[in-house]
Amino acid sequence: MAKRIFKYLLTFSIFLLVQVGVVPLLTIYELAPDLLVVGLVLSAIRHGATAAIVTGFLAGLAQDAFATHLYGLQALAKAVAGFVAAYLARDKLKFGLQVTLGITLVAALVHNLIRDGIYYFDADFSVLHLIVRYVIPNSLYTLVLAAIAHLLFAKSFERK
Amino acid sequence: MKTALLDRSNEYLISRREYFTLFAAIVAAIAILFNNDAPQIDALRGLAVDRLALLQEKLSWFSRLTQSTEEMSALRQRATQLMLENSQLREAYLENFRLRRLLEYRERTPLQLRSARVLFAERSRTPNTVVIDLGARQGMRVNMPVVTPDGLAGKIYKVNARTSLVQLLLDRNFSVSARSQGGRVLGIVSWSETRGLEMTGVPRNAVIKAGDMVVTSDYSALYPPGLRIGKVIAPSLEKGEPFMRIPLEPAVRFDRLEELFVITTPAESFKVTVADSSSGD
């Protein structure tokens, strides 16, 4: 049990380090993928909703410490995204590429809508602009990362 | 029977644990998020207060159907105006004695008031504030004085679109230039948790006694002169201190704030310059 928890924490620590260290290098026009959302989908598929929500909350807090000046923002977005991913995955038994990408896309959309919605709350542009300029492109970028992850580690995307 | 009920409630909690976890995570994240001091969060807070105020307004509509709100509001506004006029007349009467030899003196501009309803109080927080139902759309601006028929209540601290936060006199960061109404003794009135409302910076030899009324001074940049602040309880002289501490009983009953009045007259209009008031003395 302890070994499993340690492995779980280690995996998310690596995800977090890659997210704050490497992913910023992949930024294109202020758009960046979110590896932790892919990790949350993985956690939701393998361990269920409670694990995904708690992991999302804690990983979000850790990411907030590195990334934004709004402490708690990523925690909120990722906890909800974890729940959404687990909710969509709850009745599925097999997780092929399409199913995984579908879950990731919805989770990433919800995540980005919350995160960018609050982050740009006082910005001088409309909700439509927010969605078209930030939410959808960021989600699609995350989707690309999820596709690569699924192709490389297809076995990990299976229910335990 | 009891065990079965317990088992059933346990079962329910376990089967719904993800919803409880999500709820706890959202509450915790929002609590952390709202502790940030960022412009986005300020805007979110403003929106939340505005929406809450709108909701409360809609709900209170039913309970106030029987009352003639407008009439009551107009009467209260009139009462406050009369109180201010009365206060100013008393001021003028006292001034007459002092400024008998003056050739001319400027008449003070009549104050314009806007009535506001207290929506809710945020007493547990710093600053000690109440939220009123007037905002930027009604022409409210930061630092506008807020009064009741009894005297000075505070000033506008923050303005949202439909609501404003009023920083009360009973806030530790609030201070106002004041003087005693009879003796013309000047000082600063402020509030602290330990000492309550008090006037400080008063010289030891100043003549001030219990029961004297303390009002806003002519030198305040924000408040019109002559607004009642509080009544002197008992001046105290501490050994070695060059100044007196004068505890005050607030003129306004802060536990019964329902209707407030915002003075919308620009501060420049009621500011009496030192040169004007002292030229004849």
Side-chain angles (χ1 to χ4, degrees), chain A residues 30 41-42 61 88 98 124 130 136 147 160:
Chain A
E30 292 180 61
V41 173
L42 196 67
L61 276 185
L88 294 174
Q98 286 172 336
D124 194 20
L130 174 86
I136 294 174
K160 272 214 146 186

Side-chain angles (χ1 to χ4, degrees), chain B residues 118-133:
Chain B
V118 175
L119 297 174
F120 37 82
E122 293 188 328
R123 293 290 170 75
S124 56
R125 294 184 50 171
T126 299
N128 188 347
T129 54
V130 292
V131 179
I132 58 169
D133 64 346

Side-chain angles (χ1 to χ4, degrees), chain B residues 12-260:
Chain B
Y12 178 81
L13 286 174
I14 290 166
S15 66
R16 297 265 184 269
R17 69 181 183 278
E18 60 262 41
Y19 295 102
F20 292 118
T21 314
L22 177 69
F23 179 73
I26 288 175
V27 169
I30 288 175
I32 296 167
L33 193 59
F34 271 70
N35 266 320
N36 289 288
D37 200 16
Q40 296 98 315
I41 302 304
D42 268 354
L44 265 173
R45 273 194 208 112
L47 184 81
V49 170
D50 272 0
R51 291 289 169 271
L52 204 64
L54 209 66
L55 184 75
Q56 199 178 8
E57 211 166 284
K58 293 262 187 291
L59 290 174
S60 66
W61 185 78
F62 292 101
S63 62
R64 297 198 302 161
L65 264 178
T66 50
Q67 293 176 9
S68 174
T69 321
E70 279 177 20
E71 196 182 334
M72 196 187 281
S73 182
L75 282 170
R76 282 184 179 165
Q77 185 160 342
R78 186 76 191 122
T80 306
Q81 256 162 351
L82 286 171
M83 178 279 292
L84 287 170
E85 273 176 31
N86 185 32
S87 181
Q88 283 182 328
L89 283 172
R90 200 179 305 145
E91 279 300 300
Y93 177 73
L94 290 167
E95 250 182 348
N96 265 332
F97 284 103
R98 290 187 301 109
L99 309 173
R100 227 179 284 172
R101 287 175 195 135
L102 265 179
L103 293 172
E104 56 178 27
Y105 64 90
R106 188 174 292 175
E107 227 177 61
R108 288 185 188 141
T109 318
L111 299 171
Q112 289 170 347
L113 299 175
R114 187 84 201 253
S115 71
R117 205 153 52 80
V118 175
L119 297 174
F120 37 82
E122 293 188 328
R123 293 290 170 75
S124 56
R125 294 184 50 171
T126 299
N128 188 347
T129 54
V130 292
V131 179
I132 58 169
D133 64 346
L134 298 179
R137 288 185 190 174
Q138 288 81 30
M140 294 299 108
R141 286 195 306 277
V142 171
N143 285 337
M144 277 182 167
V146 178
V147 296
T148 74
D150 299 322
L152 180 69
K155 67 172 180 182
I156 292 191
Y157 174 73
K158 198 181 163 203
V159 179
N160 299 318
R162 295 157 186 270
T163 53
S164 300
L165 254 71
V166 175
Q167 184 183 21
L168 297 177
L169 185 65
L170 303 189
D171 180 69
R172 63 167 174 256
N173 295 321
F174 192 101
S175 61
V176 54
S177 168
R179 63 173 167 77
S180 67
Q181 204 165 32
R184 324 298 291 183
V185 174
L186 285 166
I188 300 288
V189 171
S190 59
W191 184 85
S192 69
E193 280 96 346
T194 48
R195 292 174 182 271
L197 194 68
E198 62 177 9
M199 188 172 173
T200 53
V202 179
R204 283 177 76 90
N205 56 357
V207 180
I208 193 159
K209 58 185 189 304
D212 281 356
M213 183 57 77
V214 170
V215 296
T216 50
S217 81
D218 297 330
Y219 306 110
S220 172
L222 298 178
Y223 309 99
L227 288 177
R228 275 179 278 176
I229 298 173
K231 203 183 271 182
V232 174
I233 300 172
S236 69
L237 275 166
E238 283 171 30
K239 272 187 181 175
E241 286 280 329
F243 297 107
M244 272 195 283
R245 285 185 177 279
I246 301 166
L248 302 176
E249 186 192 337
V252 173
R253 290 290 303 266
F254 286 95
D255 54 338
R256 287 184 193 168
L257 286 182
E258 285 177 1
E259 196 119 335
L260 292 170

Side-chain angles (χ1 to χ4, degrees), chain A residues 17-79:
Chain A
L17 287 174
V18 174
Q19 178 64 34
V20 297
V22 181
V23 171
L25 303 173
L26 306 174
T27 305
I28 308 166
Y29 294 112
E30 292 180 61
L31 303 173
D34 200 322
L35 186 62
L36 286 169
V37 172
V38 181
L40 281 180
V41 173
L42 196 67
S43 173
I45 289 171
R46 288 169 70 94
H47 305 290
T50 311
I53 295 164
V54 173
T55 308
F57 179 75
L58 295 176
L61 276 185
Q63 195 183 359
D64 280 325
F66 287 104
T68 61
H69 62 280
L70 287 174
Y71 205 69
L73 177 62
Q74 299 272 10
L76 176 66
K78 285 192 165 55

Side-chain angles (χ1 to χ4, degrees), chain A residues 75-92:
Chain A
L76 176 66
K78 285 192 165 55
V80 177
F83 173 79
V84 169
Y87 189 83
L88 294 174
R90 74 192 190 286
D91 296 328
K92 310 268 183 308

